[in-house]
Amino acid sequence: MSLMKKPRERILDAADDLFYARGIHAVGIDEIVSRSGTAKTTLYAHFPSKDDLIASYLQRRSEKWRQYLTGELARRGGTAVDRIDAVFEVLAEGCAAPGFRGCPFINATAEYPDPMHPARVVADAHRQWVRDLLAGLAAEAGVVDSYGLAGRLTLLYDAAMVGAQFDPGGLAPTSAREAARTLVEAASVSP
């Protein structure tokens, strides 16, 4: 942990490492304080409660993923159908990364089932962003029921990560990508 970073960033870095590796409930504030090299008063000055820290951790993860995925879609280019496929390609690459421990938003949702909990609010907003991204691409591709297709694609997106968490190195992300292609092709066929 670099002491050159500001205390807030060090705290978020420590929380990110620990929450993602072990689960949110399993990690206490004292461990985050120790790992970040800050004082407990500093942590609470930035995050009045553990729930605030959890929400900030998830929000930062969401922002980084949104930025990365949209950047990759722009870099890879292609038609809207190509970019839907690229969403699943990028997701599969992420699932194959060393240290992959599932989706932090799905994991947080499992730990915090109350839809009003700050972790759930951020996780739900992130998932909605994924669905909206896919719906926008589907609409751009000319799919009439773009939001319906996006819902089905979002289920595949989630399944890819859950499957990869259960079976690291397995075929879940590749299978989800193939199933997504099939759904997009079927949706693009005019009646």
Side-chain angles (χ1 to χ4, degrees):
M1 183 97 23
S2 171
L3 294 178
M4 298 298 288
K5 289 184 178 181
K6 293 186 178 201
R8 184 177 197 283
E9 289 306 306
R10 293 197 326 260
I11 292 165
L12 281 170
D13 288 347
D16 188 280
D17 291 346
L18 293 166
F19 288 161
Y20 188 68
R22 298 204 341 251
I24 297 168
H25 283 304
V27 176
I29 292 297
D30 289 338
E31 188 173 4
I32 294 168
V33 166
S34 176
R35 172 78 68 95
S36 67
T38 61
K40 194 179 280 192
T41 55
T42 302
L43 183 143
Y44 284 119
H46 291 284
F47 308 99
S49 69
K50 185 177 179 184
D51 287 347
D52 291 319
L53 176 58
I54 295 163
S56 294
Y57 145 71
L58 290 170
Q59 186 61 46
R60 187 170 83 154
R61 279 254 173 175
S62 179
E63 289 165 4
K64 285 182 176 184
W65 181 248
R66 291 175 192 211
Q67 188 174 43
Y68 179 72
L69 183 57
T70 55
E72 282 298 301
L73 294 180
R75 186 182 70 76
R76 295 173 194 218
T79 67
V81 170
D82 294 335
R83 284 179 281 139
I84 291 171
D85 187 57
V87 167
F88 286 88
E89 181 179 31
V90 171
L91 182 63
E93 292 165 4
C95 290
F100 178 77
R101 216 182 88 42
C103 173
F105 308 101
I106 293 172
N107 294 346
T109 298
E111 289 194 60
Y112 294 95
D114 177 0
M116 300 309 293
H117 189 278
R120 275 297 299 272
V121 172
V122 175
D124 290 347
H126 179 81
R127 190 166 190 269
Q128 186 63 51
W129 177 83
V130 170
R131 187 172 184 163
D132 290 344
L133 171 70
L134 292 167
L137 291 170
E140 187 180 330
V143 174
V144 175
D145 183 14
S146 59
Y147 206 72
L149 175 62
R152 292 184 289 281
L153 292 173
T154 302
L155 289 174
L156 289 173
Y157 182 95
D158 293 343
M161 291 181 287
V162 172
Q165 188 174 7
F166 276 109
D167 184 18
L171 297 177
T174 302
S175 297
R177 185 177 180 195
E178 291 169 3
R181 286 178 182 152
T182 300
L183 286 174
V184 169
E185 286 173 18
S188 298
V189 175
S190 303

